[in-house]
Amino acid sequence: MDKNNQTFVSEFLLMGLSGYPKAKIVYFVIILVMYLVILTGNGVLIIASIFDSHLHTPMYFFLGNLSFLDICYTTSSVPSTLVSLISKKGNISFFGCAVQMFVGFAMGSTECLLLGMMAFDRYVAICNPLRYSIIMSKEVYVSMASASWFSGGINSVVQTSLAMRLPFCGNNVINDFTCEVLAVLKLACADISLNIVTMAISNMAFLVLPLLLIFFSYVFILYTILRMNSATGRRKAFSTCSAHLTVVGIFYGTVFFMYGKPKSQNLTGEDKSRISDKVISLFYGVVTPMLNPIIYSLRNKDVKAAVKYILKQKYIP
């Protein structure tokens, strides 16, 4: 068979909730509301971290980066998902799919690193408070954030280029809402061993290593907190870590559940397992970015005060 006549794919068809027209309407409303909450909540946090001098600290700098990341990530996929839900066609161009995959991979990789950096920041603040301003100077935490963005971008360039260079032999049906890399690799009609190896290395560098940093940081934090004589000091230390731990739990819990469970190999059929995969994909792609600013706002008096101050000063109309 001549593959040259069958490898070119100009667009992909995103199945989404194809076959469930009534669910599409409900899903559209829910996703739209969530997206507006994401833009508003994360936008407010970014503005607060910029305009309120009390938030010019490493923790809130990382939080501002995390909020900007969540906006970029959802904007790369949610608008196209909304369009596919109200239109009969769910097609996306080859280039559009590549861009969506690149942004999703870059933002996911960067978020893992940023969460690790935030854990290290809490470790220094609680375990080495007297040296905190020296260790976490502006030059240091800006460099840490920049390295996270750069590394995430490079990782995404590698993974996206390796995936999109594969021949697809005319098979362009993706049984998902977005151009997720594993769903695209299933369509390839060539050996994907190189992709699997590079993704395994990527997972070690961007998932496992940051998680280990978070784990050991909080082991030392817990040890330090338990040694404190003041109950007030212990409560304050726990409160500064609770929001970050909650976000880490939601993020990693969703990622491991989404990629760790076996998935259906049927590209066109729908079953309960596949519907469950899509719900988890929704939770990972929309609910987590929506919850991040809510968690940090509800659990942080400084953020609440900053938001009230900004609203009072009419930075936000």
Side-chain angles (χ1 to χ4, degrees):
M1 183 181 294
D2 186 6
K3 287 189 176 182
N4 293 327
N5 295 328
Q6 301 187 35
T7 55
F8 179 74
V9 172
S10 60
E11 65 178 16
F12 292 95
L13 179 62
L14 302 174
M15 296 297 289
L17 287 177
S18 178
Y20 296 86
K22 293 183 179 180
K24 277 188 173 184
I25 300 174
V26 176
Y27 202 82
F28 174 84
V29 175
I30 294 175
I31 293 297
L32 178 60
V33 172
M34 287 181 173
Y35 183 54
L36 294 176
V37 172
I38 289 169
L39 295 179
T40 304
N42 287 287
V44 168
L45 278 180
I46 292 172
I47 295 173
S49 65
I50 293 174
F51 287 104
D52 193 324
S53 59
H54 296 93
L55 301 185
H56 291 174
T57 63
M59 183 176 71
Y60 295 112
F61 177 76
F62 289 131
L63 181 57
N65 276 261
L66 194 63
S67 295
F68 178 71
L69 182 151
D70 285 337
I71 291 176
C72 292
Y73 175 74
T74 52
T75 301
S76 71
S77 59
V78 171
S80 62
T81 299
L82 292 173
V83 171
S84 67
L85 288 172
I86 60 175
S87 63
K88 294 182 179 180
K89 293 184 177 180
N91 56 314
I92 183 172
S93 67
F94 185 89
F95 177 75
C97 184
V99 170
Q100 195 175 83
M101 184 185 298
F102 167 79
V103 175
F105 228 110
M107 297 304 103
S109 302
T110 304
E111 183 164 1
C112 290
L113 296 179
L114 284 176
L115 290 174
M117 301 299 181
M118 293 172 75
F120 178 75
D121 172 71
R122 292 299 82 205
Y123 158 75
V124 177
I126 295 175
C127 299
N128 296 280
L130 298 179
R131 300 183 59 197
Y132 180 72
S133 60
I134 299 175
I135 298 175
M136 295 299 295
S137 63
K138 185 175 182 179
E139 292 77 12
V140 171
Y141 66 75
V142 170
S143 298
M144 290 168 67
S146 300
S148 298
W149 283 95
F150 181 76
S151 301
I154 293 298
N155 180 50
S156 185
V157 167
V158 172
Q159 299 300 334
T160 303
S161 60
L162 287 176
M164 302 309 286
R165 61 182 274 277
L166 293 169
F168 298 103
C169 301
N171 190 3
N172 68 339
V173 179
I174 299 176
N175 196 13
D176 214 325
F177 292 102
T178 61
C179 285
E180 197 269 333
V181 62
L182 294 181
V184 173
L185 290 179
K186 288 181 180 180
L187 306 182
C189 55
D191 182 26
I192 60 171
S193 299
L194 179 60
N195 301 79
I196 300 301
V197 171
T198 56
M199 285 190 66
I201 297 173
S202 173
N203 289 338
M204 286 294 298
F206 291 91
L207 277 175
V208 178
L209 292 182
L211 185 59
L212 288 175
L213 176 60
I214 294 169
F215 174 77
F216 285 111
S217 294
Y218 277 105
V219 167
F220 287 112
I221 288 172
L222 181 62
Y223 177 74
T224 302
I225 291 176
L226 293 178
R227 292 182 64 190
M228 292 180 179
N229 295 323
S230 171
T232 303
R234 287 195 295 269
R235 284 195 298 270
K236 185 177 180 180
F238 274 122
S239 67
T240 61
C241 300
S242 58
H244 179 253
L245 276 174
T246 304
V247 170
V248 168
I250 293 174
F251 177 80
Y252 274 97
T254 307
V255 169
F256 285 130
F257 186 82
M258 194 167 93
Y259 292 105
K261 67 189 293 294
K263 295 187 177 184
S264 170
Q265 299 295 320
N266 190 350
L267 293 174
T268 57
E270 294 286 351
D271 56 20
K272 292 182 179 180
S273 176
R274 189 57 197 164
I275 293 296
S276 174
D277 291 341
K278 292 182 179 181
V279 172
I280 297 299
S281 178
L282 161 69
F283 185 76
Y284 172 68
V286 182
V287 177
T288 302
M290 182 187 71
L291 289 179
N292 285 350
I294 296 175
I295 292 170
Y296 277 103
S297 297
L298 291 177
R299 293 176 172 267
N300 196 300
K301 294 180 180 179
D302 292 334
V303 174
K304 289 180 182 179
V307 171
K308 290 180 181 179
Y309 173 79
I310 290 173
L311 291 174
K312 186 177 180 180
Q313 295 296 317
K314 297 183 179 179
Y315 283 119
I316 301 177

